[in-house]
Amino acid sequence: MNNNPKRIYIADDETNIRSAIKTFLENAGYSVTDFENGDLLLDAFAEKPADLVVLDVMMPGSNGFVVCKELRKTSTVPIIMLTARDSDLDYATGLDIGSDDYLVKPFSPMALVMRIKAIFRRMEYDKKVYAEQDMLTGLLDKISGINLIQNKLMTSAEKSQHALYVVDIDNFKNINDNLGHSEGDKVLIDTAGALTELFRDSDIVSRFGGDEFIVLATDIKDAVFVEKRAKEICSALRKNYGEGENIHSISASIGISLYPTHATTYEDLFDLADKAMYKTKGNSRDGYTLHEE
């Protein structure tokens, strides 16, 4: 069972089509939310971005082309367009404004599932161009994480917003010194698992080295979302290890910088987030600091 399924949004004003697509995609293991028009999808995406979007071209209110253009202002999320018109002009328009694929109605829902799987496979392949894993945690290693973050920043849509988190485990040395390195390894593995659960596949989670991790949360809505996620990290990493009288606690010190508000390059974003993390360390740890201009 996939505990972190990819999230797909569908907008189509035809109830039967929405229902059929949703059933097939859920059976394929995806988390699906459907909307009767594009405006509802845009509202939901602003609150919580999806990993892929399926849009009907002809809908009341904002049609598929309008929604696609709006999404492309801030996000590179994969978009598949659906249309009842087998028109070269529609096809060309959809691709020109930023859609990734196109299906003409009527179509087999299984054909849509296969196309979605193909898109996600390509995305995974693109990741693996850079991706080398940290052997202990299974996350991206430092170099792979930096490369992917730099690539994401360079290819971001015009109005995209991202957040860079630097996460450091508090009191990690105490675990190694008092409980042994095998328990220290468990702390690192547990931390990697917690971060993977909290962030989406489209986000970039990397072990930076030692007890430090970096995360790029992509296509965020606003600073409120960023701080909410920071609090969730702190809560997830606030744990005890050991037994009896030999119990030791860990927590997280986090620093955060925002793209493009604070900086537009990885180097500058990391420098600001790292300094913010050390500010957290100086303020009793177990918390977060968002860089202030």
Side-chain angles (χ1 to χ4, degrees), residues 179-247:
L179 301 178
H181 288 281
S182 61
E183 195 72 0
D185 287 348
K186 185 177 187 302
V187 170
L188 296 173
I189 293 168
D190 289 349
T191 299
L195 293 175
T196 301
E197 285 292 319
L198 285 170
F199 290 92
R200 300 162 295 157
D201 285 352
S202 55
D203 300 324
I204 300 167
V205 184
S206 169
R207 183 183 175 196
F208 197 70
D211 59 349
E212 193 167 81
F213 298 78
I214 55 173
V215 181
L216 184 74
T218 63
D219 300 322
I220 60 170
K221 180 185 177 185
D222 52 30
V224 173
F225 169 85
V226 172
E227 296 192 49
K228 177 176 180 290
R229 187 52 44 88
K231 292 175 183 175
E232 291 170 345
I233 297 171
C234 289
S235 178
L237 299 190
R238 197 178 293 123
K239 298 179 70 174
N240 296 324
Y241 289 84
E243 56 185 21
E245 296 182 358
N246 195 21
I247 294 179

Side-chain angles (χ1 to χ4, degrees), residues 116-134:
I116 289 172
K117 287 184 176 180
I119 287 174
F120 284 138
R121 278 198 304 270
R122 288 197 297 270
M123 292 172 68
E124 287 302 312
Y125 175 79
D126 290 343
K127 271 190 176 183
K128 288 174 182 176
V129 170
Y130 296 102
E132 292 292 336
Q133 286 187 326
D134 172 65

Side-chain angles (χ1 to χ4, degrees), residues 2-283:
N2 187 354
N3 293 323
N4 192 26
K6 287 184 171 60
R7 184 183 302 113
I8 296 175
Y9 288 169
I10 304 165
D12 194 310
D13 61 327
E14 296 184 60
T15 305
N16 291 341
I17 290 179
R18 284 204 320 274
S19 177
I21 292 173
K22 183 174 183 180
T23 298
F24 270 81
L25 290 178
E26 288 179 338
N27 288 340
Y30 300 113
S31 171
V32 184
T33 306
D34 62 305
F35 306 91
E36 63 185 22
N37 62 61
D39 296 304
L40 292 175
L41 185 146
L42 286 172
D43 289 343
F45 195 94
E47 189 67 31
K48 191 172 189 178
D51 296 301
L52 184 141
V53 171
V54 179
L55 296 173
D56 182 30
V57 170
M58 303 303 295
M59 291 184 289
S62 297
N63 66 33
F65 291 148
V66 172
V67 175
C68 183
K69 286 182 187 177
E70 197 63 30
L71 288 173
R72 281 292 171 258
K73 291 179 180 178
T74 60
S75 176
T76 56
V77 63
I79 298 172
I80 297 178
M81 308 290 290
L82 309 177
T83 182
R85 300 192 304 181
D86 188 4
S87 163
D88 288 342
L89 179 59
D90 278 2
Y91 182 75
T93 300
L95 294 179
D96 185 57
I97 63 176
S99 67
D100 297 271
D101 206 345
Y102 204 88
L103 270 175
V104 177
K105 299 178 181 178
F107 58 85
S108 162
M110 184 54 66
L112 177 60
V113 172
M114 291 300 102
R115 292 190 184 215
I116 289 172
K117 287 184 176 180
I119 287 174
F120 284 138
R121 278 198 304 270
R122 288 197 297 270
M123 292 172 68
E124 287 302 312
Y125 175 79
D126 290 343
K127 271 190 176 183
K128 288 174 182 176
V129 170
Y130 296 102
E132 292 292 336
Q133 286 187 326
D134 172 65
M135 295 300 292
L136 177 64
T137 64
L139 297 179
L140 295 168
D141 65 15
K142 175 179 178 179
I143 299 302
S144 300
I146 291 173
N147 285 340
L148 276 172
I149 291 170
Q150 288 176 328
N151 183 65
K152 178 64 180 180
L153 298 180
M154 288 189 295
T155 58
S156 291
E158 183 180 351
K159 295 184 180 179
S160 293
Q161 297 183 85
H162 314 305
L164 186 74
Y165 296 78
V166 173
V167 181
D168 189 86
I169 303 174
D170 300 324
N171 305 317
F172 181 71
K173 187 175 184 299
N174 287 343
I175 300 290
N176 277 336
D177 290 348
N178 293 283
L179 301 178
H181 288 281
S182 61
E183 195 72 0
D185 287 348
K186 185 177 187 302
V187 170
L188 296 173
I189 293 168
D190 289 349
T191 299
L195 293 175
T196 301
E197 285 292 319
L198 285 170
F199 290 92
R200 300 162 295 157
D201 285 352
S202 55
D203 300 324
I204 300 167
V205 184
S206 169
R207 183 183 175 196
F208 197 70
D211 59 349
E212 193 167 81
F213 298 78
I214 55 173
V215 181
L216 184 74
T218 63
D219 300 322
I220 60 170
K221 180 185 177 185
D222 52 30
V224 173
F225 169 85
V226 172
E227 296 192 49
K228 177 176 180 290
R229 187 52 44 88
K231 292 175 183 175
E232 291 170 345
I233 297 171
C234 289
S235 178
L237 299 190
R238 197 178 293 123
K239 298 179 70 174
N240 296 324
Y241 289 84
E243 56 185 21
E245 296 182 358
N246 195 21
I247 294 179
H248 298 268
S249 301
I250 66 160
S251 56
S253 288
I254 304 170
I256 312 165
S257 59
L258 304 178
Y259 168 98
T261 304
H262 299 146
T264 57
T265 68
Y266 164 76
E267 291 80 6
D268 291 341
L269 285 168
F270 176 80
D271 183 58
L272 296 175
D274 196 47
K275 288 176 180 175
M277 185 272 289
Y278 277 106
K279 186 174 181 180
T280 305
K281 288 280 190 187
N283 292 332

